[in-house]
Amino acid sequence: MRTVDLIHRKREGEELSAEEIQFLVDGYTRGEIPDYQISAFLMAVFFSGMSDREVGALTEQLIGSGSLVDLSSVEGVKVDKHSTGGVGDKTSLIASPIAAAAGVIVPSIAGRGLGHTGGTLDKLESIPGFRTDHTIDEFKAQLSSIGIAFIGQTAEVAPADSKLYALRDATATVDSIPLIASSIMSKKLAEGMDALVLDVKVGSGAFMKKQVDARRLAQMMVAIGRRVDKRVQALITDMSQPLGYAIGNALEVMEVSQTLQNGGPADLTRLSLELAARMIYLGKVTKTLDEARELAQAKLLDGSGYRKFHEVIAAQGGNPQVLDHFELLPNATAVHEISTSRGGYISAIDAELIGQASSMIGAGRNTKEDSIDPAVGVILEVKVGQKIEPGSILCRLYHTTEENLEEAAELVEDAFRISQQAVEERDLILEVVS
Ligand code: URA
């Protein structure tokens, strides 16, 4: 078998066999196939796509490049939740504790933010003392004791994916649907879960800008799960405006606390409850999805989701008092208000621009190596559909330095669109793929 022939066949749109995909992944992982050939192969995939069979084979090879997390010693059905990434998306910190409070085991191996999108680990690490570097034994012990744990990616899980992702990042091949599907699913399947709820974001703040692409990504990930007998459901949800009002790590933890005490934004609460309900249903705690919805709602209203999050923070070395005393979280030192001279209705809030602005003042990173400022970010004062008067404040930038502030403020100003006609709100949950 010659690498050049496989690149040529993929370039011509042919389907490769599982053995041929194994040859490429093995050869690359062992350093026998050079970056330039795998780069060409990735670009061929970008343009020619992959069949479900090829994506399944690629996922298996990525999983096989590392070790599987064996959670068989932890009793209960293990269900994780994964979002393809968005702006202000803190649903993992709300849905997962609610599902755990209902009896689901939630083994969460989470990621960091990159570019304009945020990451669960960064949000959690804004809580002073919070550790995400548990060993696998500590992870299992915490799952057995409180039913939920959040840790970072370990080097043993799908190492070929990390190597390939770095190459994709440098060759403009990240946003290929089969490559994203296999990358996400290899890590999720290696972490030992029984079922998975996916939140596939679509809109300006998401990887997928078009619903048809989000649907294809969701279908591919559900099919990968099905091939290995895992229950997987995907929601396709709107990311054309940020979720909730807060964007930025500690600011989002504050909003999580309010939401878990049933005082959060309506969109964030609705989506978190639906994700939690699907985790509960796939976790076989209830017989029907409607019962799961009722249980999720009950666990929010009786405060047990909030108490579960409290427990997680304490178990992972953080101070749970932060949930009631926001002054214990990192706080920005200055605030810059953005207002408008026009009245009307908010017709759009571009999530990507808001995410970029937030990242620019320190909340996010451009490369994996950048450090972030947990205190900073953006708080929206309005949402799409809202009526505003001339002089209304649209949002506030919370910052700790003046660096990049002016540029970020310009981006944010461009993000808001105001119309003279009333605007219909877009549905938040657009489709379910199962
Ligand atoms: N997240 C991943 O883990 N992989 C991708 O390819 C894209 C998003």
Side-chain angles (χ1 to χ4, degrees):
M1 220 179 282
R2 292 196 322 156
T3 305
V4 62
D5 298 329
L6 302 183
I7 298 171
H8 183 263
R9 287 186 33 225
K10 183 70 337 216
R11 194 195 75 187
E12 296 306 307
E14 285 181 38
E15 187 180 53
L16 300 186
S17 69
E19 291 70 36
E20 288 165 335
I21 289 173
Q22 179 175 12
F23 173 82
L24 291 170
V25 176
D26 273 359
Y28 185 54
T29 314
R30 286 204 296 262
E32 289 160 5
I33 303 180
D35 278 0
Y36 56 81
Q37 281 192 305
I38 295 298
S39 302
F41 173 73
L42 293 171
M43 194 55 87
V45 170
F46 182 90
F47 284 111
S48 301
M50 273 185 154
S51 67
D52 279 353
R53 263 216 309 257
E54 287 177 299
V55 178
L58 176 57
T59 310
E60 272 167 35
Q61 291 309 317
L62 295 177
I63 296 173
S65 70
S67 46
L68 293 179
V69 179
D70 179 6
L71 295 180
S72 57
S73 62
V74 181
E75 268 183 47
V77 185
K78 290 114 208 162
V79 187
D80 196 8
K81 175 250 156 200
H82 180 82
S83 159
T84 57
V87 178
D89 181 5
K90 66 278 289 174
T91 52
S92 289
L93 301 185
I94 303 163
S96 300
I98 290 175
V104 178
I105 304 293
V106 187
S108 185
I109 300 190
R112 298 191 182 283
L114 197 59
H116 68 276
T117 62
T120 298
L121 284 192
D122 296 327
K123 296 173 213 235
L124 287 168
E125 285 177 357
S126 74
I127 300 171
F130 197 103
R131 282 183 48 218
T132 57
D133 59 353
H134 276 20
T135 62
I136 294 297
D137 284 341
E138 287 173 316
F139 183 54
K140 288 190 214 172
Q142 186 173 322
L143 288 173
S144 294
S145 62
I146 65 168
I148 175 169
F150 291 97
I151 62 166
Q153 194 71 46
T154 64
E156 298 83 46
V157 169
D161 175 64
S162 312
K163 197 168 173 196
L164 271 183
Y165 192 91
L167 196 57
R168 286 165 58 203
D169 208 18
T171 56
T173 50
V174 167
D175 50 349
S176 147
I177 293 175
L179 296 179
I180 295 175
S182 53
S183 165
I184 291 176
M185 291 303 286
S186 63
K187 287 174 290 198
K188 291 288 135 186
L189 293 173
E191 76 180 37
M193 49 83 186
D194 301 304
L196 176 67
V197 177
L198 291 162
D199 183 4
V200 179
K201 301 283 185 198
V202 61
S204 71
F207 266 119
M208 298 294 122
K209 310 289 181 203
K210 291 190 266 170
Q211 200 163 325
V212 56
D213 292 336
R215 185 180 306 127
R216 182 74 191 116
L217 177 60
Q219 286 166 341
M220 242 181 214
M221 292 196 287
V222 169
I224 294 171
R226 195 172 299 134
R227 275 171 66 100
V228 290
D229 281 334
K230 304 288 179 192
R231 298 185 295 284
V232 183
Q233 290 193 353
L235 300 184
I236 299 180
T237 70
D238 181 44
M239 186 34 73
S240 58
Q241 67 171 329
L243 192 58
Y245 290 90
I247 301 101
N249 299 291
L251 297 172
E252 293 193 41
V253 170
M254 297 176 199
E255 194 167 68
V256 164
S257 175
Q258 289 161 342
T259 307
L260 282 169
Q261 296 178 76
N262 201 29
D267 59 346
L268 179 61
T269 305
R270 166 151 188 258
L271 180 54
S272 302
L273 280 174
E274 185 61 22
L275 291 165
R278 287 180 186 270
M279 292 171 81
I280 292 168
Y281 175 60
L282 292 185
K284 299 189 171 164
V285 176
T286 61
K287 287 211 169 60
T288 68
L289 181 57
D290 279 341
E291 284 166 1
R293 289 190 175 115
E294 278 170 30
L295 188 55
Q297 176 89 17
K299 294 295 173 192
L300 172 70
L301 295 181
D302 71 6
S304 43
Y306 170 79
R307 286 192 294 280
K308 188 55 79 178
F309 192 43
H310 215 270
E311 272 181 74
V312 177
I313 296 175
Q316 297 196 218
N319 177 4
Q321 301 301 323
V322 297
L323 295 180
D324 297 307
H325 298 279
F326 293 164
E327 70 280 7
L328 298 174
L329 282 164
N331 272 269
T333 47
V335 184
H336 180 87
E337 282 179 358
I338 307 283
S339 55
T340 174
S341 54
R342 296 174 57 206
Y345 297 86
I346 302 291
S347 58
I349 307 174
D350 188 310
E352 183 166 19
L353 293 182
I354 300 279
Q356 279 170 359
S358 175
S359 183
M360 202 178 268
I361 57 173
R365 49 173 85 70
N366 284 324
T367 69
K368 276 191 190 161
E369 289 71 36
D370 288 349
S371 57
I372 57 166
D373 181 345
V376 302
V378 179
I379 303 261
L380 303 179
E381 291 299 318
V382 295
K383 296 285 283 189
V384 170
Q386 198 167 320
K387 186 168 190 300
I388 52 159
E389 304 301 329
S392 294
I393 295 172
L394 299 174
C395 72
R396 294 185 166 88
L397 273 63
Y398 288 79
H399 59 106
T400 51
T401 73
E402 300 288 316
E403 206 182 321
N404 298 330
L405 182 64
E406 212 169 298
E407 223 178 325
E410 278 168 23
L411 276 187
V412 163
E413 279 173 29
D414 282 349
F416 291 88
R417 290 277 168 273
I418 298 169
S419 136
Q420 292 317 301
Q421 283 89 45
V423 190
E424 272 199 22
E425 273 181 59
R426 204 173 131 91
D427 271 350
L428 179 59
I429 300 173
L430 302 166
E431 275 180 59
V432 179
V433 177
S434 60

